[in-house]
Amino acid sequence: TQLLEQSPQFLSIQEGENLTVYCNSSSVFSSLQWYRQEPGEGPVLLVTVVTGGEVKKLKRLTFQFGDARKDSSLHITAAQPGDTGLYLCAGGKGTASKLTFGTGTRLQVTL
Amino acid sequence: GAVVSQHPSWVICKSGTSVKIECRSLDFQATTMFWYRQFPKQSLMLMATSNEGSKATYEQGVEKDKFLINHASLTLSTLTVTSAHPEDSSFYICSARGSFQETQYFGPGTRLLVL
C-alpha cells in the first residue's frame, strides 16, 4: 500500500510564527501536489512540483520536492489566521494513475 | 485556474431514498473524474475513478450498486447514492483531471445527511 505520512498531524501556533509541514513516503512520485482545505469546502490546489529538488514559492509559502522525489515540505513564514486549515499532500505516479493522499496536517493559527 | 462545481452543496434526505450529486468541470475537459468521501477531521478516501464514456473503477470495499457513477460527457459526472441510509451521511467531494495531467482540481463538496 502506498502511504504518504504527514507530520505533524496537528499544529496550533500564534500569528507571526513560522512552521514546516512534512510529507514523507518510501515510494517515488512523478509529481507532488499540496492542497489546503477549509471546513465544509473542497481542497484548493496550492502547488504542483514535479522535479526532484524543486523549490516553489507562493507568497509566504515555500514548497520543496525532495531530491529523490519521495518527500516534500511546506514552510510557512509569518503565519496568519487565514492560513488555518487542513493541509494535504498528494503524490502522483503518471497521468493514468490516481493520487495518493497524505494523512493531513491540521493547522490552527491564532491571534 | 481550473474550476470544478458540485451540486447540490448540501442535501438532507429520508432513509431509503436516492440522491444524485453532480460534478462539473466548468472551464476544461475532464477526461477523468474522481469521487471521494471524507469523514470528519480525516483525509480524503477515494471511492471511484471514472473516465468519460466508460464504466467507473471502484476502490475495494465500495459497493458499486450503491454508489452509481456516470461520466457521460467531458464536463459532467454524477454520483447517485441509492437507497441511502444514515451511515451514508458524509461529505462527498469530486475532482477532475484533464488529459495527460496528474493534478486534480476539486469541487466544493456536497454534504449529505440521511435521516
Side-chain angles (χ1 to χ4, degrees), chain B residues 77-88:
Chain B
S77 176
T78 61
L79 167 67
T80 301
V81 183
T82 63
S83 186
H85 288 94
E87 58 264 31
D88 298 324

Side-chain angles (χ1 to χ4, degrees), chain A residues 63-102:
Chain A
F63 306 86
Q64 183 164 10
F65 202 10
D67 291 340
R69 290 184 290 139
K70 293 183 180 181
D71 53 81
S72 181
S73 64
L74 158 60
H75 182 78
I76 301 178
T77 303
Q80 299 177 0
D83 297 326
T84 294
L86 176 66
Y87 288 81
L88 295 164
C89 63
K93 289 195 172 189
T95 57
S97 74
K98 54 193 177 186
L99 291 178
T100 298
F101 276 86

Side-chain angles (χ1 to χ4, degrees), chain B residues 91-104:
Chain B
F91 192 51
Y92 292 88
I93 311 174
C94 73
S95 70
R97 182 180 73 189
S99 298
F100 310 112
Q101 292 184 1
E102 292 188 16
T103 299
Q104 295 178 23

Side-chain angles (χ1 to χ4, degrees), chain B residues 4-22:
Chain B
V4 177
S5 69
Q6 267 182 256
H7 180 80
S9 56
W10 59 270
V11 56
I12 302 173
C13 69
K14 293 182 178 179
S15 184
T17 62
S18 294
V19 175
K20 179 184 286 188
I21 303 170
E22 293 186 349

